[in-house]
Amino acid sequence: MRERADVLDASGQWPSDDLAALATVGVMRRAVPHEYGGEGLTPLELYLGYEMIAPASLAVALIISQRDSAIGLIDAAASNHYRTELLRRLANDQTFVTIGIAQLTTSRQGGPPALTAEAVEGGYRIDGDIPWSTGAAKSEYVVAGAVLPDRRQILFLLPMNAPGVHAAEPLPLVSLRASWTGSIRCTGVMITFSHLLVGPAEKVLGGRTNTLPLGQAFLATGLCRGGLDLIARHDSPTAGAAHERLDAQLIEVRTELLALSQPGREQDAIAAGPMLRGRCADLALRIVHSAVALYKGSALVAGHPAQRLAREALFLLVWSCPSAVIDCTIDLLSENP
């Protein structure tokens, strides 16, 4: 996967070989409960899996994390018509799903709803945009959220082959192009009650967004490890000293991350998660830019891994960042040394 990452970064090609290889070692079963043929791993176990993938390819780690998040939301909807069949197929890697919920959490907040729902006979009419969705064009369903006129929300399965659904071309991102992240346009899309997962309710995601920064931080620590691997390959006293200092910082922040991820620490994670995620992103930036400095001009050439990692670190600054994470990030970046 690491060997293919730079090529896929340049081409923007969907990482089908990487995903197929991960499926052969059971990664696609990890988030699916045991009763549907999966492994039913805990959130922490899933996070550690993303952390292992991220040093080789942050794009692939993102794709898997979005798929697993969709699986978790589908599994939580015990009365959904499609739940059992869909989870069994996901465990066997027979289909792909992702999420499109940024419009309910961090994207386009403060203005009118980006995606609206109107109750009609037999279900809902969906109109508007899902601004961010990873791998939507490769998905059978997107777990999406929309807002009703009374401001209540619904969470539902959006069939990507339904009339009126259009997945735009992947955005021309400066990094993670292989994740095929882009927008989805919905025009008069009819969603039946059988596709409903949650709602109508005031907040269909419940406490999910409160603990999200903690899980996302593990992708940052994975990217840190990828940067440290590059620094370790640079044979110089400066690189050796930098690796020792930065590795110690990673061990410290990762120890805190693991402690907050333990069962029974949920309230602590909600309180400390945004700050910890901001610190992980800040450390990732410093590590990968240290690698760029060590490799000098060659790290500015397209195709060099240090150059790719430096651009991937920018993703951590904008990915599903609520105000608390942004505030922490800006504070760290604007500190006097």
Side-chain angles (χ1 to χ4, degrees):
M1 190 185 305
R2 191 190 299 266
E3 293 171 354
R4 289 189 288 263
D6 293 317
V7 174
L8 294 177
D9 175 66
S11 68
Q13 181 181 345
W14 180 253
S16 53
D17 289 344
D18 292 334
L19 296 174
L22 291 174
T24 63
V25 294
V27 169
M28 301 308 180
R29 297 193 301 271
R30 290 179 148 201
V32 180
H34 289 287
E35 58 265 38
Y36 306 107
E39 297 182 9
L41 298 191
T42 65
L44 177 56
E45 289 170 326
L46 293 174
Y47 299 157
L48 293 174
Y50 310 149
E51 186 184 44
M52 291 178 65
I53 296 170
S57 173
L58 193 64
V60 173
L62 173 64
I63 290 168
I64 296 297
S65 74
Q66 301 304 280
R67 178 187 183 273
D68 288 353
S69 292
I71 289 172
L73 292 169
I74 293 167
D75 179 47
S79 61
N80 180 263
H81 174 76
Y82 296 96
R83 176 176 174 268
T84 297
E85 178 197 357
L86 193 50
L87 289 174
R88 292 191 186 281
R89 292 170 59 211
L90 284 161
N92 292 319
D93 196 31
Q94 295 173 338
T95 188
F96 187 82
V97 296
T98 191
I99 57 173
I101 57 174
Q103 65 276 7
L104 297 183
T105 56
T106 59
S107 185
R108 302 190 187 180
Q109 300 301 295
L115 193 67
T116 62
E118 179 184 356
V120 296
E121 185 177 355
Y124 296 92
R125 174 189 166 109
I126 307 297
D127 287 283
D129 295 308
I130 298 171
W132 297 94
S133 185
T134 293
K138 293 291 184 178
S139 299
E140 181 179 1
Y141 292 103
V142 171
V143 174
V147 180
L148 290 159
D150 63 3
R151 307 300 294 184
R152 290 184 302 164
Q153 302 172 351
I154 61 171
L155 196 70
F156 57 94
L157 291 172
L158 176 68
M160 290 304 293
N161 63 354
V165 177
H166 174 68
E169 289 292 316
L171 291 166
L173 303 177
V174 298
S175 64
L176 283 80
R177 291 179 59 207
S179 70
W180 280 34
T181 298
S183 63
I184 304 170
R185 179 69 180 172
C186 294
T187 306
V189 180
M190 301 306 299
I191 294 296
T192 66
F193 290 123
S194 62
H195 288 97
L196 194 65
L197 294 173
V198 184
E202 184 179 352
K203 294 289 183 181
V204 293
L205 294 174
R208 178 185 182 277
T209 55
N210 292 331
T211 56
L212 194 58
L214 207 61
Q216 293 167 330
F218 281 93
L219 274 78
T221 56
L223 189 64
C224 287
R225 182 55 57 197
L228 285 171
D229 289 346
L230 271 182
I231 292 173
R233 285 161 46 190
H234 193 281
D235 186 16
S236 70
T238 300
H243 187 280
E244 182 177 352
R245 292 194 299 269
L246 292 167
D247 187 53
Q249 294 173 46
L250 176 58
I251 291 171
E252 179 183 352
V253 73
R254 190 173 181 274
T255 299
E256 293 182 46
L257 194 55
L258 288 169
L260 279 177
S261 301
Q262 300 304 315
R265 298 291 306 274
E266 289 79 11
Q267 291 305 311
D268 294 334
I270 290 171
M275 176 67 73
L276 199 50
R277 184 190 159 185
R279 287 171 56 199
C280 289
D282 177 71
L283 180 57
L285 280 169
R286 291 189 288 110
I287 287 175
V288 300
H289 281 90
S290 296
V292 169
L294 287 166
Y295 285 93
K296 300 190 287 189
S298 60
L300 293 182
V301 178
H304 193 283
Q307 190 265 345
R308 173 176 55 82
L309 291 177
R311 287 183 288 106
E312 289 180 347
L314 299 178
F315 167 76
L316 301 174
L317 303 182
V318 300
W319 175 38
S320 295
C321 285
S323 297
V325 175
I326 294 173
D327 291 346
C328 174
T329 299
I330 297 301
D331 285 346
L332 289 170
L333 291 174
S334 59
E335 277 184 347
N336 279 323

